[in-house]
Amino acid sequence: MRLGPRSRRRSDRAAPSGRRRTARTHAAAADQRPARRRRPHPFGLRTRLVLAFLLVAAVGCGTTAALTYRAARTAILEQTQDTAVGSFRRQVASLSTSLPLDEPAMRAELLRIAAEGRPHPWRVYAEYDGVLRVSSTDRPESSVLTSELRTRARALGVRHGSFQRVVRGNIPYLTIAVPALFPDGQRYPSGRPTGLVLYAVMDLGVEDANIEAMVTAARDGALPALLVALIPALIAARGVLRPVRELRRAAHDMGRGRLDARIHAKGSDELAELARTFNQSAAELERSVAELRNAEARARRFASDVSHELRTPLAGMLAVTEVLDEDADTLDSDTARAVRLVSAETGKLAVLVEDLMEISRFDARAAELHADEVDAAELVRKTLQNRHWVGTGAGTGLGTGTVAASGAVVTELTDGIRARLDPRRFDVVVANLVGNALRHGAAPVTVRVYEEAGALVIEVADRGPGIPDDVLPHVFDRFYKGDPARTRSAGSGLGLAITLENVRLHGGTAVAANRPDGGAVFTIRIPL
């Protein structure tokens, strides 16, 4: 509820230096406060791009190394085994075989063949029908020779020999089996089998060492390759992230109100197209916001100008209606009723004009706060007494505060709470809340003042039906009517909106809610 212009003090008066704080000052201070920067994520976009690039490089290096290793290993082993198999076959073909076998002579032949081993020395073994076993070593048998090789050598007969790679004790070996033949060009063009099979065992340790050296070289070369790949990875990440960083910076500037932020777009790739699209959107947004601001400024100026222009004729109308009110009792009933109606409507219009002027000052950020350190309970008490809502007595003592009641309004005020308040604006806040509760709620209206968590708390509660849930979020909106059918009311529709603006000017908050046991409650919190 708002008082008429006759009981209103001048809204903006001069204040001593150091005691005024304006909404513009608060906004400027908020703009000057440094924005909190988020801690960068340890796995940001740059890190992920570099890691992805290095992963691709590592996979490429690994694949190339694996294929190279496989090809080189195959070439080394095939060359070695082809040389050994061919040489052993020639040695066996040159062997003079006669039956029955002479073991000493056979051993001498095996020693000769072993000495001719290529590309590495051989250990040669001979087996005849699984009975006679002779070797070029001290042992007539070898654990390296497998039964599979023996079976294959006997099954292949006169036409082919056989070979097999075997690993024993982590040492690789090449084992070769070649049958000895009697020359018989008529029945067996390749020779007639004698039943004698010669085996050669060759150590592949040199080849295995060469292959291991290749693996070590590939492994040692991978790290320098990845380090070299890191350079183009960083260059590529920088090229990708530069427009992203500019986009983030421009979006941050736009969020802080700098709608002229733009991105330098060059090239014809997707990121350049994104930058151009952002610039076009930003330009369109800047144009739309400028139009809205101009329209808002014109609307505020219009409301302010209309309010100022109406103020002078309203003052004259109020003076005339006061005179007519005094003489209404001497007039006939119809004329008196018309005079009182004109007087009441003129008073409502005056209240509306004053409220519009007050709202226009808030919109223009010209409203000033003339704060002083006062006793909050005493201010509330004076507000209620000036409007004759409570008696002038001290009331009944209750702890550190007082309780007073006049039927319509009950107070629970905690004395001694010192706060920096603007007495005029605080008076408007309390008067509007209590008047709204008396007008739309039901008596008794309870006004409480207490301190909680470093804040001054003012509660105004009534015993009425409460506020509908769909109306509750809009109670502080301007000209909002809880009942659309109720086009006219005793107030201007701006009282609670002005209350909210005054509370915000003090740095506080205003909340409307419903009591569990019925009725509405408005809670104001102002930091101490």
Side-chain angles (χ1 to χ4, degrees):
M1 187 185 76
R2 298 284 293 173
L3 296 180
R6 286 170 291 182
S7 60
R8 185 193 303 273
R9 295 166 59 188
R10 185 174 179 80
S11 61
D12 291 313
R13 60 188 179 185
S17 176
R19 285 194 175 185
R20 66 177 61 184
R21 292 182 300 169
T22 66
R24 190 185 304 275
T25 304
H26 289 300
D31 291 339
Q32 293 177 358
R33 286 196 292 268
R36 294 184 60 185
R37 300 188 61 181
R38 292 184 177 181
R39 182 178 300 176
H41 196 277
F43 293 99
L45 184 57
R46 174 192 291 272
T47 304
R48 294 198 295 270
L49 284 174
V50 172
L51 290 179
F53 198 97
L54 293 180
L55 178 61
V56 172
V59 171
C61 291
T63 303
T64 303
L67 294 176
T68 303
Y69 163 75
R70 181 178 179 181
R73 179 177 181 274
T74 301
I76 291 174
L77 294 179
E78 285 184 353
Q79 180 181 4
T80 301
Q81 72 186 19
D82 290 347
T83 301
V85 171
S87 177
F88 188 62
R89 283 177 177 172
R90 288 192 296 271
Q91 293 295 332
V92 174
S94 65
L95 178 65
S96 297
T97 305
S98 60
L99 297 175
L101 293 177
D102 184 3
E103 184 174 347
M106 179 58 65
R107 179 178 174 80
E109 289 293 332
L110 296 181
L111 289 173
R112 178 186 65 79
I113 294 174
E116 297 293 334
R118 295 292 183 274
H120 306 299
W122 299 333
R123 295 196 297 273
V124 184
Y125 301 85
E127 294 183 0
Y128 178 71
D129 286 341
V131 178
L132 179 63
R133 288 183 172 86
V134 184
S135 71
S136 63
T137 64
D138 296 337
R139 300 178 58 186
E141 297 184 34
S142 175
S143 61
V144 178
L145 299 176
T146 63
S147 59
E148 180 184 358
L149 179 65
R150 290 187 174 93
T151 303
R152 286 165 54 188
R154 289 193 294 268
L156 289 174
V158 298
R159 293 184 179 274
H160 303 285
S162 180
F163 65 90
Q164 185 181 32
R165 287 197 293 267
V166 182
V167 178
R168 289 290 187 271
N170 295 328
I171 300 176
Y173 296 93
L174 176 63
T175 58
I176 309 170
V178 178
L181 305 175
F182 290 125
D184 188 351
Q186 295 180 357
R187 186 175 179 183
Y188 299 98
S190 298
R192 183 164 56 86
T194 62
L196 177 64
V197 181
L198 274 70
Y199 299 93
V201 178
M202 185 178 69
D203 190 345
L204 296 178
V206 176
E207 286 73 16
D208 186 65
N210 292 336
I211 294 173
E212 289 293 332
M214 290 177 54
V215 174
T216 303
R219 182 187 60 202
D220 294 341
L223 182 59
L226 291 178
L227 293 178
V228 172
L230 181 62
I231 297 175
L234 292 175
I235 295 175
R238 181 181 179 184
V240 172
L241 291 179
R242 183 187 297 112
V244 175
R245 286 196 299 268
E246 292 182 0
L247 179 61
R248 179 186 62 83
R249 189 181 304 112
H252 182 268
D253 292 341
M254 291 185 66
R256 295 176 63 86
R258 292 183 52 190
L259 300 181
D260 58 343
R262 298 293 185 272
I263 303 175
H264 179 63
K266 60 180 180 179
S268 58
D269 56 3
E270 290 81 358
L271 291 175
E273 191 65 25
L274 174 63
R276 294 188 184 93
T277 302
F278 177 86
N279 291 338
Q280 294 173 0
S281 302
E284 185 66 21
L285 177 62
E286 184 179 13
R287 184 186 64 80
S288 300
V289 171
E291 293 179 356
L292 290 175
R293 287 176 176 173
N294 292 334
E296 184 180 6
R298 289 194 298 268
R300 290 175 180 174
R301 187 165 54 251
F302 174 77
S304 178
D305 293 344
V306 169
S307 300
H308 280 285
E309 292 298 328
L310 289 176
R311 198 172 189 182
T312 300
L314 276 175
M317 294 173 62
L318 287 173
V320 173
T321 55
E322 287 180 357
V323 174
L324 292 176
D325 283 341
E326 293 176 357
D327 297 336
D329 295 336
T330 62
L331 302 174
D332 58 87
S333 59
D334 293 338
T335 305
R337 188 181 306 109
V339 166
R340 292 189 179 93
L341 178 62
V342 170
S343 178
E345 294 300 326
T346 304
K348 292 179 182 180
L349 182 59
V351 171
L352 176 61
V353 170
E354 289 294 327
D355 287 347
L356 285 174
M357 292 184 64
E358 185 74 4
I359 283 292
S360 66
R361 279 189 286 269
F362 283 117
D363 291 341
R365 296 184 178 180
E368 296 183 353
L369 190 70
H370 305 281
D372 197 2
E373 186 172 339
V374 295
D375 189 318
E378 186 62 27
L379 280 183
V380 173
R381 191 177 292 110
K382 288 182 179 179
T383 297
L384 300 179
Q385 290 174 355
N386 290 338
R387 289 158 180 81
H388 307 288
W389 285 334
V390 294
T392 59
T396 305
L398 179 65
T400 59
T402 60
V403 175
S406 64
V409 179
V410 177
T411 59
E412 299 178 11
L413 311 178
T414 302
D415 295 321
I417 302 178
R418 308 291 295 181
R420 291 194 60 81
L421 303 172
D422 185 329
R424 185 189 70 84
R425 296 189 180 278
F426 189 73
D427 174 81
V428 170
V429 170
V430 176
N432 282 350
L433 292 180
V434 175
N436 184 77
L438 291 173
R439 186 182 307 114
H440 301 294
V445 174
T446 303
V447 181
R448 299 180 61 210
V449 174
Y450 59 93
E451 180 182 353
E452 182 181 73
L456 170 65
V457 182
I458 302 98
E459 285 187 2
V460 178
D462 61 64
R463 296 292 180 177
I467 305 174
D469 293 338
D470 58 333
V471 176
L472 199 58
H474 307 285
V475 292
F476 292 104
D477 293 350
R478 301 175 184 181
F479 297 108
Y480 185 81
K481 300 291 185 179
D483 184 5
R486 185 169 53 88
T487 57
R488 294 180 56 82
S489 64
S492 64
L494 294 173
L496 292 181
I498 293 175
T499 298
L500 179 62
E501 295 294 343
N502 280 317
V503 171
R504 287 176 176 173
L505 200 61
H506 284 85
T509 60
V511 178
N514 288 317
R515 293 160 50 99
D517 54 347
V521 56
F522 288 82
T523 305
I524 306 298
R525 293 181 181 272
I526 300 176
L528 291 177

